[in-house]
Amino acid sequence: MDREIAAPRVVVGVDGSASSYGALRWAVRYAGLVGGVVEAVTVWELPGLYGWSGPAVDMDVDQEEARDRMRQELTEVLGAQGAGSVTTHLVHGNTADVLLRAAEGAEVLVVGGRGRGGFARALLGSVSTHVTQHADCPVVIVRAEKP
């Protein structure tokens, strides 16, 4: 009976889009209801890196600056106290793959309905579509609030 039970993990993808901010707020509220912890995951990938041509962008990404920017965004969305309760991960790789790995063993994976790319009229973004088809845990998709 002395086994330690870990708090449920709520993993949320954050990419700077309005729908990812909605997903972040949803994840924090849900974690509060289930006594869970929130892990915010931001993924960076250099365009052209995996194609046949060499990347046409500067390969030196300042990860510390990106972490600071992520923490600032979380503070703007959740306030200082809310942001302080969220664990952050900045990971290089394919967004859908990174989120799926991060969500292994999680209570739920939360993503925005549409991220920074894609077509404005698309119902779901490519990442949210992919994770709903491949995640081992429940997936919640949060659409951006209308202004």
Side-chain angles (χ1 to χ4, degrees):
M1 292 272 165
D2 288 339
R3 292 186 305 174
E4 185 177 320
I5 298 175
R9 291 175 44 242
V10 179
V11 177
V12 57
V14 180
D15 68 0
S17 67
S19 63
S20 78
Y21 293 159
L24 178 62
R25 286 188 288 271
W26 192 98
V28 168
R29 285 191 304 268
Y30 181 78
L33 292 173
V34 299
V37 295
V38 177
E39 296 180 12
V41 179
T42 295
V43 183
W44 62 275
E45 181 176 24
L46 297 174
L49 188 60
Y50 300 110
W52 58 268
S53 65
V57 294
D58 184 5
M59 292 291 292
D60 294 327
V61 174
D62 187 342
Q63 289 189 12
E64 198 56 42
E65 181 180 321
R67 279 189 185 86
D68 290 345
R69 191 169 50 246
M70 182 182 183
R71 182 55 62 191
Q72 180 181 358
E73 286 181 353
L74 265 58
T75 301
E76 289 172 6
V77 173
L78 301 173
Q81 184 175 359
S85 68
V86 174
T87 302
T88 60
H89 303 282
L90 178 66
V91 183
H92 173 262
N94 175 276
T95 304
D97 292 341
V98 169
L99 289 174
L100 288 170
R101 278 194 314 273
E104 289 175 358
E107 171 90 4
V108 65
L109 170 60
V110 187
V111 294
R114 219 177 47 76
R116 293 180 157 267
F119 299 99
R121 292 187 309 258
L123 294 176
L124 290 177
S126 59
V127 171
S128 56
T129 299
H130 186 83
V131 299
T132 59
Q133 296 171 353
H134 299 283
D136 292 331
C137 65
V139 176
V140 173
I141 300 172
V142 179
R143 294 183 62 150
E145 296 174 6
K146 293 185 179 184

